[in-house]
Amino acid sequence: MHQRDELDRAIEAAAREMARASHAVALVGAGLSAESGIPTFRGGEGLWTKLGEPTFDGWELFNEDPAAWWQRAIDFKEEFADFNRAIDEARPNPGHLAMADLEAMGRLAHVITQNIDNLHQRAGSRHITEIHGNRYLVRCMSCGSRDRLESVRLDRLPPLCPECGGFMKNDTVMFGEPIPEDALRECYRQTALCDLFLVVGTSAVVYPAAEFPVMACRRGVPLIEINPEETPLSGLAEVVIRASAGESLPAIVERLKAGTSRS
Ligand code: OAD
């Protein structure tokens, strides 16, 4: 963690970059939702630390037999019960709310989130790409259209797309599954458009998500990292804020509102 004055200086520098940028984009990871009570994936209390990383054959199994895949997902729901409960009970924290404020202030153009918890939407952000999907949606594997999970009937498996009759699957992206085309396209578009990149609460080890800030950086776009721990992106970042997202993002908003960042 920074000493207080060092942290203040980093917040000030981040606010200055944000005041200057005309198209800032953020890549968000599980660290942002940690303060809403949702466990991260890696590190001491991480989901994968406890359960082990999922195997890469889920996508293959779905393609081989979508009905059996759904049945297994229903039968083994208990494995992720604590994680799912944490998501269902979570509320947006000051970090999510600050990101929505930054968007409303015209300082943050787009959020690329790896989180599946819907908390950006609930906080009021509008321009969001969910690169790993959304826990409350299903997606058609043929035409890509999405529907609410709760509106899908599971009495006949697999559920079929009302638009095209294709197989539906949870929108959340499994290990080994290709990123949905529409989401991936938007991520690359935002990466090409941005003139500032915020990296918030991600270990930056999962691809392609971790690639976007690197691509932007290669074009000379400054990176701001908000993470209490070092990541592979730390060395590339112009500004590193070694503090929680729930503390630092609202502080950036306050600084921008106070206008001190223009000095
Ligand atoms: P990780 O669990 O890999 O990393 C979480 C990061 O958040 C770590 O770098 C922590 O230091 C940081 N962190 C923890 N608390 C924080 C806080 N309060 N404020 C800011 N940062 C904090 O989670 P992701 O990087 O999101 O994908 O993981 C990426 C992907 O790996 C996930 O989307 C998921 C997983 O496998 C899929 O399942 C496809």
Side-chain angles (χ1 to χ4, degrees):
M1 289 275 175
H2 279 301
Q3 295 298 315
R4 179 55 49 184
D5 56 344
E6 207 179 325
L7 178 60
D8 283 347
R9 269 200 300 276
I11 299 280
E12 175 67 30
R16 208 179 305 122
E17 292 290 349
M18 294 210 72
R20 203 181 286 153
S22 56
H23 194 104
V25 169
L27 172 70
V28 171
L32 178 66
S33 293
E35 288 161 275
S36 293
I38 302 174
T40 58
F41 295 94
R42 298 169 182 85
E45 293 298 304
L47 190 67
W48 300 156
T49 311
K50 284 186 177 163
L51 301 179
E53 281 215 356
T55 54
F56 274 80
D57 58 0
W59 175 238
E60 216 174 288
L61 292 172
F62 179 86
N63 284 305
E64 272 169 17
D65 191 343
W69 182 90
W70 270 99
Q71 194 58 58
R72 221 176 356 251
I74 293 165
D75 293 345
F76 291 103
K77 227 157 110 186
E78 273 312 298
E79 193 184 5
F80 292 108
D82 289 347
F83 184 63
N84 288 335
R85 199 172 309 115
I87 293 179
D88 290 343
E89 289 173 358
R91 292 166 46 172
N93 68 54
H96 295 103
L97 297 171
M99 294 197 91
D101 282 347
L102 288 169
E103 183 181 318
M105 291 159 71
R107 304 273 43 110
L108 181 61
H110 200 89
V111 174
I112 299 172
T113 188
Q114 297 167 92
N115 300 343
I116 60 168
D117 53 32
N118 213 38
L119 292 179
H120 290 287
Q121 290 87 337
R122 288 176 57 196
S125 288
R126 293 281 167 265
H127 296 102
I128 309 159
T129 298
E130 295 172 305
I131 185 169
H132 294 160
N134 182 306
R135 158 165 159 64
Y136 299 101
L137 300 178
V138 286
R139 178 166 35 92
C140 174
M141 296 297 107
S142 298
C143 72
S145 71
R146 293 175 177 81
D147 203 350
R148 285 172 36 240
L149 174 61
E150 65 179 20
S151 70
V152 169
R153 293 184 55 177
L154 296 176
D155 47 352
R156 284 181 61 185
L157 299 176
L160 300 179
C161 174
E163 306 287 328
C164 77
F167 298 139
M168 305 290 277
K169 186 195 136 290
N170 293 67
D171 186 38
T172 51
V173 174
M174 292 185 284
F175 273 50
E177 176 180 349
I179 302 296
E181 243 175 70
D182 54 351
L184 193 59
R185 204 178 312 117
E186 186 60 14
C187 290
Y188 284 122
R189 199 176 79 86
Q190 292 297 331
T191 301
L193 280 174
C194 72
D195 58 1
L196 178 66
F197 214 117
L198 268 79
V199 187
V200 181
T202 179
S203 58
V205 294
V206 172
Y207 286 80
E211 186 181 39
F212 307 133
V214 178
M215 288 171 71
C217 187
R218 277 201 205 109
R219 281 199 293 114
V221 170
L223 306 189
I224 298 173
E225 179 175 72
I226 300 179
N227 196 316
E229 306 289 334
E230 191 167 350
T231 78
L233 296 179
S234 302
L236 298 178
E238 188 106 347
V239 180
V240 175
I241 301 178
R242 285 270 170 263
S244 80
E247 180 185 6
S248 26
L249 285 163
I252 294 172
V253 170
E254 284 316 308
R255 208 59 65 94
L256 281 164
K257 282 185 179 160
T260 52
S261 50
R262 273 184 229 111
S263 59

